[in-house]
Amino acid sequence: MRFARSLLALTALSIASTAQASPKLQGSYGDWSVFTRYEGAEQLCYVLSKAATKSPSNVKHGDIYFLVANWKSGAASEQPSFMADFSLQAGSPPKIRVGSTSFPMYVSQNEAFVADGNDERDLLGKMRAGSTMRVDAVSARGTRVNYSFSLKGITAALKKAKDSCA
């Protein structure tokens, strides 16, 4: 089940897309943007933010994103994921931290998902109440990296994304 969910999300959240599936900006809220796009006939609505800080500074990180996705069909509802511009090390999966609470993840190539689906709602609650989120990860090459994301605007962005796929 978890593997199927990650394949669905990987397909849906692919940043590179054909003209037919190009994301459409629905609005920006603080440091988060809301997009809709179609995968065939299926509508996907998601929020997206770029990493505010990237460490270590001597590494080429590329584009680093955190996303929360909704499928209009209900295949996914507020599913958080971390997306790197490089492959992640599966043996050292990323960890998300908001305040003093951390959430382990699992890796699927360059994307990571919350390891326990039951923790997704808790993570989203912490994101709505927090101001900063941190993701610690290890690249496939073994480089330890960490990223911080501003949570300014996340509550309004999540509401818009959910409404867009209602």
Side-chain angles (χ1 to χ4, degrees), residues 96-156:
I96 305 168
R97 190 172 58 228
V98 181
S100 61
T101 307
S102 64
F103 301 89
M105 303 184 87
Y106 70 94
V107 170
S108 181
Q109 298 177 349
N110 70 321
E111 195 165 9
F113 301 88
V114 176
D116 183 345
N118 295 323
D119 284 344
E120 290 178 352
R121 178 171 277 142
D122 291 341
L123 170 60
L124 291 167
K126 297 287 185 189
M127 289 172 68
R128 286 178 173 102
S131 60
T132 304
M133 175 175 62
R134 180 181 168 120
V135 176
D136 296 315
V138 180
S139 75
R141 294 181 177 176
T143 305
R144 292 190 179 283
V145 293
N146 58 66
Y147 306 101
S148 68
F149 295 85
S150 167
L151 296 174
K152 180 180 179 186
I154 187 66
T155 301

